[in-house]
Every structure is written in C-alpha cells, then in structure tokens.
Amino acid sequence: MQQGLSRVFREFVRSLAYKEITPESFDDASSKLLLELVENNVALEVAEGLIAQLRERVVGRSVKRGSSIAEFIREELKAVLLNVFERAGVFDLEREVSVRKGGAEPYKVVFLGPNGHGKTTTIGKLAYRLRLKGYRVVIAAADTFRAGAIEQVSQIANMSGAFLVNLGYGADPAAVAYEAVERARRQGFDVVLVDTAGRMHTRKNLMDEMRKIIRVVEPDFRVFVGDALTGNDAVEMARTFFEEVGFDGSIVTKFDADTKGGVVLSIVYTTGRPILYVGTGQRLEDLHPFDYRNFVDSLLD
Ligand SMILES: Nc1nc2c(ncn2[C@@H]2O[C@H](COP(=O)(O)OP(=O)(O)OP(=O)(O)O)[C@@H](O)[C@H]2O)c(=O)[nH]1
Ligand SMILES: [Mg+2]
C-alpha cells in the first residue's frame, strides 16, 4: 500500500520532471548520485563539485519535446565530465620527446608518487615504448632508500633496453639523477627517466628529497604515478605531492583491475593536470595513452 503510494508520488515527480527539472527534484535525485560516485572512488568534494556544476546546467531548464529527460541529463553530465578533462588539457610526452631528439639536452622526466603505486614498473613500460620508437633511454636509480629497489630497477632497465645509472644504496638521490643527466648529455641519450623513492623516514624527508631532485635535474616533465585500486588514498597523495612538490601530469596504474574509475576523474579534477597514460597490467606492453573522450563515453554507457 505504502509502496504503491510512493510509486505514485515518484511517478508524479517524474512526470513533472519530464517538462522541467526543479531544484527539489534535482537535489532529490542527486543525493543518490553523490553516494554512488563516492562508492566508486570519486572523492567527496569532487563528487559535490560535479553535482553542483550539473545542477547549474539542468535545474530550471526544460527538455525539448521528443527527447527524454534521461537523455538530456546524460548529455549535460557528459559535458560536465568532459570539461574536467578539457580544463586539464592534454600532453603528448612522446611527441615532446620526438621534438627534442637530436638536440644537446636530453628530455628529462622525474617520476613521483607513493610507495607501491607503480613508479618503477611504469618507468620500465615507458622506457620500453620509447625504445620501440628508437630513442635511447637512461634510467636513474634514484630510489636509493628502499631495500631491493636497485635490483628491481636494474632488472627493469635490462628488460626494457634502457641504460641504468646507479650509485648504490644510500647514495644521494639527487646526485644519482644528476649523474644520469650528465651521462645522457655526454653520450647523446635522448631521454632520462628518474625513478624515485615512494617512502623515506618521514613524509617531510620524502617531499624535501623530491624538491631537491627537481631542483637539480630541472625536468621537462614531472609525473605523478597513482594506483587506481587505492581509491581515495591515490587522490589524497596526488593532492599532497601536487601541493608540496608540484607536477605536470599523472599516470594511473592498475587500471586493468579497477572497476570503479573514480580515481582518474578525481586526480584530474583535484590537480587540473592531465593523465598521460594508464597502466593495464604488469607487462612492459601494458601502458596505454589515456584518451579522456573514450573514458567519459565508457562511464556513460
Ligand atoms: N595489475 C597491475 N599491476 C601493476 C601495474 N603497475 C604496477 N603494478 C604492480 O604494482 C606493484 C608495485 O609497483 P612498483 O613499480 O614497484 O611501485 P613503486 O611506486 O615503484 O613502489 P616503491 O618503489 O616502493 O616506491 C608491482 O607488483 C607492479 O607489478 C598495473 O598497471 N597493473
Ligand atoms: Mg619503485
């Protein structure tokens, strides 16, 4: 009985909303949307921001005869999402590398991000892509902190066909990075990829160290690597690195296992910087340029 009544009310509201979306009907529907976005790894303030933008676009607007309200909302939502990515712009790193090729200075990329989010693996994948395009790549083993880090990056350099510059554990990470740049200049390498630690004794240590590396290397691009599976943690870490160190774009890893998708959206929204690639597995081949239009389409399917 009550269910029947509520259905009647619901249909009443829907039939009203068919002609015009009132503030009330929107807020009603969007409270559910908010929860669902957050459940899918969209950071709360990002979800709120997106809904506020959507609200502005749809409330009080009437839907054209013959088109459904669902369709209208979907189109407006799409515009809001696309706008997040459009504001961040796009960056084609491989094109930049190709433009630089043959010059005196190598193209320098510093990788940043929390431990375990995939920096070292991603460096291997990017080195591999660049090697396939014929570039000569140096990797700087500037994570001199974590046990096993140098063995791991050395294996990755081998597999991807990159040259490794390594000064051993405990060496000054900025000195390793500098040495790699010098080596690249002397020997005509095209690209330097700097692997960094994701954790040090304290967070302050880590951030200071990252700033120092960047000061010394003067990278062309600073890239943040965030693991999609960690959800809000990746977004929070992106915010921290962005505010305390600064970066130019991101790579999101473990996209293969991510069924939610909110991390990509949240990192771009929070930092206003583009996603360059997504990692889709553990193999060297598993790195793909990120296409935000495809991503938005897939979200609204
Ligand atoms: N499924 C999947 N696994 C990935 C991906 N990227 C990285 N991994 C795995 O994530 C784990 C951590 O990757 P690392 O590259 O060592 O992470 P890191 O950021 O260098 O970590 P630290 O050196 O501790 O700072 C490894 O087991 C990788 O194989 C990805 O795109 N998909
Ligand atoms: Mg690492």
Side-chain angles (χ1 to χ4, degrees):
M1 175 68 179
Q2 274 177 325
Q3 264 178 351
L5 201 57
S6 78
R7 184 171 49 81
V8 171
F9 284 140
R10 208 160 50 234
E11 279 172 4
F12 173 71
V13 169
R14 202 174 289 150
S15 70
L16 191 70
Y18 189 77
K19 295 187 186 70
E20 194 190 2
I21 300 138
T22 64
E24 294 76 23
S25 66
F26 181 84
D27 292 343
D28 200 38
S30 70
S31 57
K32 184 166 174 246
L33 177 62
L34 181 75
L35 288 179
E36 286 176 351
L37 288 173
V38 170
E39 272 167 24
N40 282 287
N41 285 345
V42 177
L44 179 62
E45 62 180 82
V46 175
E48 285 170 346
L50 294 172
I51 287 173
Q53 288 173 33
L54 184 63
R55 192 178 199 279
E56 209 143 284
R57 300 177 72 106
V58 302
V59 167
R61 289 207 24 212
S62 23
V63 177
K64 270 184 255 134
R65 255 182 172 287
S67 67
S68 75
I69 193 136
E71 224 168 275
F72 169 68
I73 298 279
R74 192 178 171 282
E75 283 310 305
E76 294 301 317
L77 186 55
K78 182 172 178 174
V80 168
L81 294 176
L82 284 175
N83 187 248
V84 172
F85 291 101
E86 277 155 9
R87 279 204 326 249
V90 290
F91 190 84
D92 185 342
L93 189 132
E94 287 167 53
R95 219 202 63 193
E96 296 301 315
V97 169
S98 83
V99 168
R100 175 70 58 86
K101 187 167 168 57
E105 187 72 2
Y107 195 88
K108 298 166 289 186
V109 186
V110 170
F111 285 68
L112 308 165
N115 63 302
H117 282 228
K119 293 177 297 299
T120 308
T121 311
T122 302
I123 284 175
K125 293 172 180 178
L126 183 60
Y128 180 72
R129 282 184 74 92
L130 293 168
R131 293 286 300 133
L132 285 181
K133 291 191 166 182
Y135 301 113
R136 297 177 67 223
V137 179
V138 178
I139 296 176
D143 178 355
T144 63
F145 185 77
R146 179 173 63 75
I150 293 180
E151 288 76 8
Q152 181 196 9
V153 73
S154 129
Q155 192 186 11
I156 276 172
N158 262 328
M159 287 187 334
S160 59
F163 183 83
L164 186 76
V165 168
N166 160 38
L167 300 178
Y169 288 104
D172 174 5
V176 180
Y178 188 74
E179 175 64 29
V181 173
E182 278 295 294
R183 167 75 75 140
R185 281 178 187 141
R186 278 201 311 274
Q187 301 190 354
F189 282 91
D190 304 300
V191 185
V192 179
L193 305 177
V194 180
D195 190 25
T196 64
R199 191 152 58 88
M200 301 193 71
H201 293 297
T202 66
R203 196 183 82 177
K204 185 175 180 304
N205 266 182
L206 180 66
M207 298 300 159
D208 287 345
E209 195 60 65
M210 295 305 117
R211 281 192 291 265
K212 182 174 168 194
I213 291 173
I214 286 165
R215 219 164 41 237
V216 168
V217 169
E218 298 182 334
D220 296 283
F221 203 84
R222 303 161 297 175
V223 65
F224 172 82
V225 178
D227 172 351
L229 297 183
T230 67
N232 225 24
D233 187 42
V235 182
E236 275 311 307
M237 293 310 290
R239 190 197 310 275
T240 301
F241 275 90
F242 189 71
E243 285 170 0
E244 296 190 24
V245 183
F247 58 77
D248 308 296
S250 301
I251 295 177
V252 172
T253 62
K254 308 187 197 176
F255 207 60
D256 48 312
D258 178 34
T259 55
K260 296 181 169 177
V263 166
V264 163
L265 189 59
S266 299
I267 288 180
V268 175
Y269 187 100
T270 304
T271 65
R273 296 292 181 276
I275 305 250
L276 277 56
Y277 298 95
V278 289
T280 57
Q282 311 217 18
R283 300 172 315 157
L284 284 177
E285 297 84 2
D286 297 330
L287 186 72
H288 301 283
F290 176 70
D291 182 331
Y292 72 82
R293 286 189 191 84
N294 284 345
F295 177 72
V296 168
D297 282 341
S298 76
L299 286 185
L300 294 177
D301 264 352

